[in-house]
Amino acid sequence: MSTEKIRTRFAPSPTGYLHIGGVRTALYNYLFAKKNKGKFILRIEDTDLTRSDEKFTRPIMEGLKWLGLDWDEGPYYQSKRKDIYDFALKELIDSGEVYRCFCTPEELAQRREENRQKGGDTGYDGRCLRLTEDEQADLEKSGLPYAWRIKTPDSGFIKFEDLIKGEVSFPADTIHDFVILKSDGMPAYNFACVVDDSSMDITHVIRGDDHISNTPKQILIFDALKIKPPRFAHLPQVHGIDGKRLSKRTGAVSLAEYQEKGYLPAALRNYLALLGWSTEDSQQLFTEDELENKFDLSRVGKSAGVFDIEKLNWMNGKFIRDSSASDLANEARPWLEAAGIIEKGDDISDRIKKAIELEKEKFMLLSDIPSKIDILIKDSILYDTKAVTKRLKKEGVRDVLEGIIPILQKEQEFTKDGLEKAFRVFCEDKGIGAGKLFHPVRVAVSGRTTGPGVFELLEFLGKDRVLERIEVALKEYVE
RNA sequence: GGCGGCAUCGUCUAGCCUGGUCUAGGACACAGCCCUCUCAAGGCUGCGACACGGGUUCAAAUCCCGUUGCCGCUACCA
């Protein structure tokens, strides 16, 4: 065991919302750091001045926090670290590892297209490397903007040992001299990434495997800088149900959407952890501590996974059922307010918590809560047409309901046990099946065929409201 | 096209390194049954996979080679 202090990082670029695949990458970085008592660092990769926007950094950070992925350091912004990249570039200039390139992006794109048509190599042809010193000086004097390219070897192999994929090897001649400093003065991705990973002492680079072909380029930069590269772990991709990269068409892709739909952070974390990682016994449900203790990069799979919303839904319901009514009520506050079940800023009453407790096993999402408990909380209810037809517009219902009223009135305690006993006796006396009474009563007092057990329902509503609703039902719906 | 990665139930996966205990285990979904005043929850049962083709071996999901398929990269984007 080395005593090396583990440091991981999540490095999103602020060019849009927080993608769910990115969130999983962040989670794995976080878990790996926690598991090894290391540090998790947040770095914002905003070197693309045209696509980056400050307005995206906030939702990214809020999303991470919501999921419980708090970072130990940062956020560092690459756009504010220009001096560091310039310094590294200076080193490479001094050691002769880089050269100026005066080709414009347009020229490059055109040449690339031509080469592609011809079916040839699309990489940079190294023409600026062949510029004579005089030519170079002239071009520079003319004020033409230029970029810096790194010299890459044209024979041999670039290999590295990936913690997940094993040994990965690239023929060097497939990697052409690439730009490390753009003509606007900003570092290109691979350069900024290398300089930062090294200056931030990142020990393990854990990222999506769409970066695997960037890795040899980065290794080349590390080598040129004479720095030992970190360890790499390339995570398999997360795909949509169509097997392609996750896209809007195949479901929600932004973390915010899951939050808005009523998923619990703990459930999403659990689900995402299992999308690519597993324990030997295939354990499905984890507490936060278990996740941090059991997570292990060596047990991350190699193949891409499909994001399965059905399983997430099940897991969310599972976590909801395991939550206390009081915690649930607090988590559900935004939805309760939106539904008018509580006023903005009000305390959540014990009555609401009790209602949540009664219906807890039926929620899949937090957003399901209001529509399930409203019949218990609101003053007036809507009668479902189908429920009315099925249970109230039947022969004998009037007799039964009218007959039960005095029984209800007589009930002093109005507890579920007492009520049940009274109801069963009533059925016995009348010689009718329990269903003949229970079903109409449920619909009469709740307007629905579904909900808590009738006696829990009656007890919760209380005598006055029960009687009142039965009267309404009798008057409006029963024939 | 070139380069790279990947391949076990519909989906997430265990097993593969260290061949036999695998008539391939778990979970979601689906179907049925049980429980039951409804809806759920829960329990039980069922359906369902080693991509294909060659080797190696007494024995292969596991090792080797090839084929196919899928995905990614191939930018002065990250």
Side-chain angles (χ1 to χ4, degrees), chain A residues 60 88 152 174 202 265 475:
Chain A
I60 287 173
T152 56
T174 60
I202 302 301
K475 198 157 124 225

Side-chain angles (χ1 to χ4, degrees), chain A residues 18 27 38 40 52 56 124 136 175 192 197 200 223 244 253 258 267 310 328 376 399-400 412 414 427:
Chain A
L18 225 201
L27 209 217
F40 172 57
S52 297
F56 291 123
Y124 184 64
Q136 228 186 94
I175 298 168
D197 284 340
M200 292 172 193
D223 288 349
K244 299 257 167 57
V253 285
Y258 290 91
E310 295 290 344
L328 275 183
L376 299 171
D399 275 356
V400 170
Q412 294 303 317
F414 221 75
C427 288

Side-chain angles (χ1 to χ4, degrees), chain A residues 248-266:
Chain A
K248 287 198 185 91
R249 232 170 31 75
T250 58
V253 285
S254 89
L255 181 67
E257 286 177 71
Y258 290 91
Q259 184 176 2
E260 285 157 17
K261 283 184 175 159
Y263 289 94
L264 251 20

Side-chain angles (χ1 to χ4, degrees), chain A residues 133-171:
Chain A
E133 268 179 44
D134 286 350
E135 286 172 324
Q136 228 186 94
D138 284 349
L139 282 165
E140 210 183 330
K141 225 179 297 166
S142 74
L144 255 186
Y146 58 86
W148 287 93
R149 282 183 192 272
I150 186 165
K151 295 177 188 169
T152 56
D154 34 41
S155 66
F157 290 87
I158 296 145
K159 298 180 186 170
F160 64 95
E161 188 65 27
D162 191 276
L163 261 23
I164 292 166
K165 310 276 189 184
E167 185 181 284
V168 184
S169 167
F170 292 81

